[in-house]
Amino acid sequence: MSSHPSRALISRSALSSNIDLLRATTSSQLMAIVKAGAYGHGLERIARWAHDDGVTWFGVAQLTEALELRRYVPDARILTWIFTPGADLAKALSANLDLSVGSAWALAEIEAAARATGIVARLHIKVDTGMARGGFAIADLADAATKIAALEAEGLVSVVGLWSHLACSDDPTSGETEYQTAVFEEARTVVAEAGVVPEILHLAASSGVLWHPSTHYDLVRPGIALYGVSPNLEVARAEDIGLRAVMQLEADLLTSRDVPAGAGVSYNHTYRTPAHARLAVVPLGYADGIPRLASNVANVRVNDAVCPIRGRVCMDQFVIEGVGLEAGQTAILFGDARDGLPTADDWAALTQTIGYEIVTRIGRQVQRVDAP
């Protein structure tokens, strides 16, 4: 049991509710994206819960995380897409992982691992449709597909998927998603002409699932929406979509005190009390993932009362103001809007970032606790 005075309550019922909502939006298979420790919620916990809810596909960015994930969902399909030259791909094949391939060097190293192990490599061909990030450029795809077709004929690889990632799907009106979908269709034709016929096509992440049904194809890859955070707060709040926050972040107050008017609070006295005030200390700070930009702008809930942050957020604590504050009371930083709480999206809006960052940056020293 951790003695750290804070905890992130992780709700199984909220996760299940979000999975159900996302399933109801599409007829496609669902791949739960659990990268970055399930967006800060805890890889093992979220993977096991989602698997119990019938999820059979999982995606993680890092190969190391995919190898860890295999221990938790031994019979699930797992796709991983970040590995660098020299990575232990033989270990990946032995762990029965699906591998993304989007460059000539990666294809060569996957081929070498398949030859060395005698294990057929399951490939998802990634195409750059407009992110300028990972994946084969359309101009290079025909040559790559011809090579892949030869390897498949030799029995070294099996082409499971063709995929890409959308750059602007969180903006339903940009037109960029329609352009990328057209490029994806071109890629589909190019690989088919080389004799490569993927089992599944996948393009949509959370915002594609919610706002671009034409991108759903055979499988969708929701990430942030699984955790009850909106892909774009300016388009729709999570609660308006029907999503429930899976994480509630809270901590026990460390100290409390009365201070007179004019008291300087925290480093550099960026806040001075205009009148007599009751202050308390929340034992969380930027080392725990609390944005320093929350200084003097965000607030927490204590006994259902709104308590603003006063002064600068420090490395491991910050000060709040409120009536009747006492050491040992619980301060809730964010949670589910349906409980009347500030949300991760609220914190993001106040600190010039996105909800993704708020939840994923919460430090590992903050205990994750199962909640109903």
Side-chain angles (χ1 to χ4, degrees):
M1 184 71 173
S2 172
S3 59
H4 201 267
S6 63
R7 62 217 148 256
L9 307 182
I10 310 299
S11 171
R12 179 165 190 168
S13 62
L15 178 69
S16 295
S17 176
N18 296 338
I19 290 172
D20 288 344
L21 183 149
L22 292 165
R23 279 181 170 146
T25 67
T26 183
S27 59
S28 304
Q29 297 182 72
L30 187 149
M31 175 188 286
I33 303 301
V34 291
K35 63 181 180 177
Y39 289 59
H41 292 67
L43 178 61
E44 179 176 2
R45 169 185 289 104
I46 295 298
R48 291 190 189 279
W49 288 352
H51 192 256
D52 287 346
D53 282 348
V55 175
T56 58
W57 275 99
F58 292 86
V60 287
Q62 301 287 345
L63 175 57
T64 51
E65 198 164 33
L67 293 169
E68 177 189 355
L69 175 60
R70 174 55 75 205
R71 303 200 304 267
Y72 310 141
V73 285
D75 61 341
R77 297 292 291 272
I78 299 172
L79 172 64
T80 183
W81 54 89
I82 290 183
F83 50 90
T84 50
D88 191 349
L89 297 183
K91 191 172 184 179
L93 297 184
S94 296
N96 203 27
L97 303 177
D98 286 27
L99 298 174
S100 174
V101 60
S103 61
W105 73 260
L107 182 58
E109 295 203 10
I110 292 171
E111 175 188 354
R115 292 188 185 281
T117 61
I119 300 171
V120 177
R122 293 203 303 264
L123 301 185
H124 293 241
I125 303 170
K126 187 171 187 182
V127 183
D128 179 11
T129 57
M131 281 281 283
R133 199 170 66 171
F136 291 109
I138 285 290
D140 301 326
L141 185 58
D143 288 344
T146 299
K147 173 65 173 177
I148 290 169
L151 293 175
E152 191 165 38
E154 195 177 344
L156 290 171
V157 307
S158 173
V159 178
V160 176
L162 178 71
W163 75 297
S164 189
H165 194 58
L166 297 169
C168 303
S169 57
D170 61 347
D171 179 358
T173 63
S174 74
E176 189 64 30
T177 295
E178 289 72 20
Y179 168 77
Q180 285 192 257
T181 303
V183 176
F184 189 65
E185 285 294 330
E186 181 183 354
R188 182 182 188 177
T189 299
V190 170
V191 300
E193 289 174 348
V196 175
V197 182
E199 297 172 23
I200 57 174
L201 307 175
H202 51 109
L203 183 59
S206 288
S207 49
V209 178
L210 293 169
W211 300 318
H212 298 277
S214 64
T215 67
H216 289 190
Y217 289 97
D218 303 301
L219 179 147
V220 295
R221 308 186 307 265
I224 195 65
L226 287 174
Y227 308 101
V229 178
S230 173
N232 186 342
L233 187 59
E234 294 182 1
V235 176
R237 295 181 62 86
E239 59 269 28
D240 295 332
I241 299 169
L243 297 170
R244 294 178 52 194
V246 176
M247 179 187 291
Q248 176 173 304
L249 182 64
E250 61 183 44
D252 301 326
L253 298 183
L254 177 62
T255 64
S256 58
R257 73 195 66 213
D258 292 310
V259 298
V265 181
S266 194
Y267 286 117
N268 301 113
H269 290 173
T270 60
Y271 181 83
R272 286 186 179 274
T273 55
H276 174 274
R278 181 73 171 175
L279 304 179
V281 173
V282 178
L284 283 167
Y286 56 77
D288 304 296
I290 308 305
R292 194 165 180 262
L293 285 174
S295 303
N296 291 311
V297 296
N299 60 69
V300 306
R301 296 291 191 274
V302 181
N303 294 332
D304 294 326
V306 177
C307 299
I309 294 176
R310 299 306 195 194
R312 284 190 174 156
V313 172
C314 308
M315 183 178 288
D316 43 26
Q317 53 194 300
F318 61 85
V319 178
I320 60 172
E321 180 181 352
V323 176
L325 296 176
E326 297 290 347
Q329 293 175 332
T330 298
I332 301 174
L333 281 72
F334 58 79
D336 197 338
R338 298 198 307 184
D339 296 328
L341 298 173
T343 66
D345 283 330
D346 291 331
W347 275 69
L350 290 169
T351 58
Q352 303 170 40
T353 185
I354 54 177
Y356 300 69
E357 185 176 0
I358 296 298
V359 292
T360 58
R361 71 189 298 173
I362 301 303
R364 291 191 176 188
Q365 69 272 24
V366 177
Q367 183 184 17
R368 272 62 171 178
V369 178
D370 290 356

